[in-house]
Amino acid sequence: MGYKLCFELVPDSCWYSNLRSILTPAQWDLVRKDAYARADGICMICGKKTNRLEAHERWEYDEENAVQRLADVVAVCRGCHEVIHIGRTQLMGKEREAEEHFMKVNGCSYSEYRKALGEANEAHRRRNRVAEWKLDLSYLKKFID
Protein backbone atom coordinates (compact mmCIF):
# COMPACT_ATOMS: atom_id res chain seq x y z
CA MET A 1 0.00 0.00 0.00
CA GLY A 2 1.26 3.49 -0.82
CA TYR A 3 1.25 5.66 2.26
CA LYS A 4 1.16 9.45 2.41
CA LEU A 5 3.71 9.43 5.25
CA CYS A 6 6.64 7.02 4.86
CA PHE A 7 9.87 6.12 6.57
CA GLU A 8 12.92 7.40 4.69
CA LEU A 9 15.93 5.52 5.98
CA VAL A 10 19.14 6.75 4.39
CA PRO A 11 22.04 4.33 3.95
CA ASP A 12 24.49 4.34 6.87
CA SER A 13 27.27 5.72 4.67
CA CYS A 14 25.12 8.83 4.04
CA TRP A 15 24.41 9.61 7.71
CA TYR A 16 25.36 13.10 8.87
CA SER A 17 25.65 14.22 5.27
CA ASN A 18 22.96 16.66 4.27
CA LEU A 19 22.45 19.80 2.23
CA ARG A 20 23.29 22.07 5.17
CA SER A 21 26.75 20.48 5.26
CA ILE A 22 27.27 20.91 1.50
CA LEU A 23 25.72 24.34 0.85
CA THR A 24 26.59 27.73 2.26
CA PRO A 25 24.09 29.06 4.81
CA ALA A 26 22.77 31.52 2.19
CA GLN A 27 22.27 28.73 -0.37
CA TRP A 28 20.51 26.50 2.17
CA ASP A 29 18.23 29.42 3.06
CA LEU A 30 17.15 29.71 -0.60
CA VAL A 31 16.32 26.02 -0.80
CA ARG A 32 14.48 25.69 2.50
CA LYS A 33 12.59 28.97 2.11
CA ASP A 34 11.35 27.78 -1.28
CA ALA A 35 9.89 24.71 0.45
CA TYR A 36 8.30 26.88 3.16
CA ALA A 37 6.77 29.18 0.53
CA ARG A 38 5.30 26.22 -1.38
CA ALA A 39 3.85 24.84 1.86
CA ASP A 40 2.29 28.14 2.96
CA GLY A 41 2.23 27.15 6.64
CA ILE A 42 0.81 23.68 6.03
CA CYS A 43 2.71 20.40 6.36
CA MET A 44 3.21 19.04 2.86
CA ILE A 45 2.51 15.51 4.07
CA CYS A 46 -0.27 15.51 6.68
CA GLY A 47 -1.82 18.90 5.92
CA LYS A 48 -1.52 20.20 9.48
CA LYS A 49 -1.38 23.98 9.77
CA THR A 50 1.62 25.01 11.85
CA ASN A 51 3.84 27.99 12.55
CA ARG A 52 6.94 25.79 12.64
CA LEU A 53 7.74 23.80 9.54
CA GLU A 54 10.98 21.87 9.08
CA ALA A 55 12.77 21.40 5.76
CA HIS A 56 13.21 17.76 4.76
CA GLU A 57 15.38 16.44 1.94
CA ARG A 58 13.72 13.75 -0.16
CA TRP A 59 16.20 11.32 -1.70
CA GLU A 60 15.73 8.66 -4.36
CA TYR A 61 18.08 5.71 -4.75
CA ASP A 62 19.18 4.00 -7.94
CA GLU A 63 20.71 0.92 -6.37
CA GLU A 64 21.85 -0.57 -9.68
CA ASN A 65 23.96 2.51 -10.54
CA ALA A 66 24.71 3.51 -6.92
CA VAL A 67 23.21 7.00 -7.32
CA GLN A 68 21.58 8.92 -4.49
CA ARG A 69 19.50 11.69 -6.11
CA LEU A 70 17.99 14.68 -4.36
CA ALA A 71 14.38 14.63 -5.55
CA ASP A 72 12.89 17.50 -3.52
CA VAL A 73 13.02 19.51 -0.35
CA VAL A 74 9.65 19.63 1.39
CA ALA A 75 8.30 21.46 4.42
CA VAL A 76 6.91 19.16 7.09
CA CYS A 77 5.62 19.38 10.65
CA ARG A 78 7.72 17.96 13.48
CA GLY A 79 5.44 14.92 13.83
CA CYS A 80 5.89 13.90 10.20
CA HIS A 81 9.63 14.60 10.36
CA GLU A 82 9.97 12.32 13.37
CA VAL A 83 8.23 9.50 11.49
CA ILE A 84 10.38 10.01 8.39
CA HIS A 85 13.54 9.73 10.54
CA ILE A 86 12.20 6.90 12.70
CA GLY A 87 15.66 5.55 13.56
CA ARG A 88 16.69 8.83 15.18
CA THR A 89 13.25 9.14 16.78
CA GLN A 90 13.59 5.66 18.33
CA LEU A 91 16.99 6.59 19.76
CA MET A 92 15.39 9.65 21.37
CA GLY A 93 12.69 7.48 22.98
CA LYS A 94 9.82 8.95 20.96
CA GLU A 95 8.79 5.98 18.85
CA ARG A 96 5.33 5.70 20.43
CA GLU A 97 4.39 9.26 19.36
CA ALA A 98 5.75 8.65 15.85
CA GLU A 99 3.87 5.36 15.63
CA GLU A 100 0.59 7.10 16.54
CA HIS A 101 1.25 9.90 14.04
CA PHE A 102 2.03 7.40 11.24
CA MET A 103 -1.19 5.47 11.90
CA LYS A 104 -3.31 8.63 12.12
CA VAL A 105 -1.94 10.24 8.95
CA ASN A 106 -2.11 7.01 6.95
CA GLY A 107 -5.36 5.71 8.46
CA CYS A 108 -3.79 2.35 9.18
CA SER A 109 -3.44 -0.19 11.96
CA TYR A 110 -0.50 -1.05 14.20
CA SER A 111 0.20 -4.21 12.17
CA GLU A 112 0.32 -2.11 8.99
CA TYR A 113 2.71 0.28 10.72
CA ARG A 114 5.00 -2.65 11.67
CA LYS A 115 4.85 -4.06 8.13
CA ALA A 116 5.78 -0.67 6.60
CA LEU A 117 8.64 -0.31 9.09
CA GLY A 118 9.88 -3.80 8.23
CA GLU A 119 9.82 -2.98 4.51
CA ALA A 120 11.71 0.27 5.15
CA ASN A 121 14.32 -1.61 7.18
CA GLU A 122 14.73 -4.15 4.37
CA ALA A 123 15.29 -1.35 1.81
CA HIS A 124 17.82 0.17 4.24
CA ARG A 125 19.71 -3.15 4.52
CA ARG A 126 19.74 -3.49 0.74
CA ARG A 127 21.03 0.06 0.23
CA ASN A 128 23.75 -0.50 2.82
CA ARG A 129 25.26 -3.10 0.45
CA VAL A 130 26.28 -0.26 -1.88
CA ALA A 131 29.87 0.63 -0.97
CA GLU A 132 29.72 4.25 -2.10
CA TRP A 133 26.86 6.36 -3.42
CA LYS A 134 27.34 8.92 -6.19
CA LEU A 135 25.47 12.11 -5.37
CA ASP A 136 23.09 13.68 -7.90
CA LEU A 137 22.25 17.22 -6.81
CA SER A 138 20.80 18.39 -10.13
CA TYR A 139 17.64 19.43 -8.22
CA LEU A 140 19.65 22.39 -6.88
CA LYS A 141 20.32 23.88 -10.35
CA LYS A 142 17.23 26.05 -10.06
CA PHE A 143 18.63 27.68 -6.91
CA ILE A 144 22.37 27.83 -7.46
CA ASP A 145 24.33 28.89 -10.52
Side-chain angles (χ1 to χ4, degrees):
M1 175 176 192
Y3 291 116
K4 208 171 15 173
L5 175 58
C6 301
F7 308 107
E8 297 179 29
L9 307 179
V10 297
D12 294 356
S13 62
C14 303
W15 285 6
Y16 309 111
S17 171
N18 56 44
L19 291 184
R20 287 179 305 284
S21 65
I22 297 169
L23 303 177
T24 67
Q27 290 170 328
W28 172 241
D29 274 351
L30 285 173
V31 174
R32 71 182 180 87
K33 286 180 179 177
D34 172 73
Y36 298 153
R38 286 184 287 131
D40 195 27
I42 297 171
C43 176
M44 295 172 90
I45 296 175
C46 73
K48 176 183 173 186
K49 185 156 183 54
T50 179
N51 291 330
R52 184 167 189 310
L53 290 168
E54 300 176 1
H56 170 67
E57 303 159 20
R58 283 242 161 108
W59 297 94
E60 293 176 347
Y61 299 91
D62 175 349
E63 295 171 39
E64 190 174 312
N65 296 300
V67 176
Q68 178 188 19
R69 184 179 78 80
L70 179 64
D72 199 359
V73 175
V74 294
V76 297
C77 68
R78 178 176 299 264
C80 285
H81 216 184
E82 288 180 348
V83 169
I84 291 166
H85 295 293
I86 193 67
R88 180 178 184 278
T89 301
Q90 289 168 329
L91 291 173
M92 296 173 59
K94 294 182 170 183
E95 183 178 11
R96 185 72 188 138
E97 294 92 337
E99 179 184 293
E100 292 293 331
H101 191 70
F102 180 94
M103 292 186 298
K104 179 182 173 190
V105 170
N106 292 313
C108 70
S109 67
Y110 178 73
S111 63
E112 290 167 316
Y113 164 84
R114 297 301 305 171
K115 182 177 185 222
L117 184 56
E119 289 169 356
N121 281 320
E122 179 51 40
H124 180 251
R125 278 190 289 280
R126 210 177 46 249
R127 291 176 184 149
N128 278 338
R129 292 186 199 122
V130 173
E132 189 174 336
W133 291 92
K134 294 178 223 84
L135 211 49
D136 176 350
L137 298 175
S138 55
Y139 172 86
L140 296 175
K141 287 179 183 170
K142 62 184 171 183
F143 300 101
I144 301 160
D145 292 325

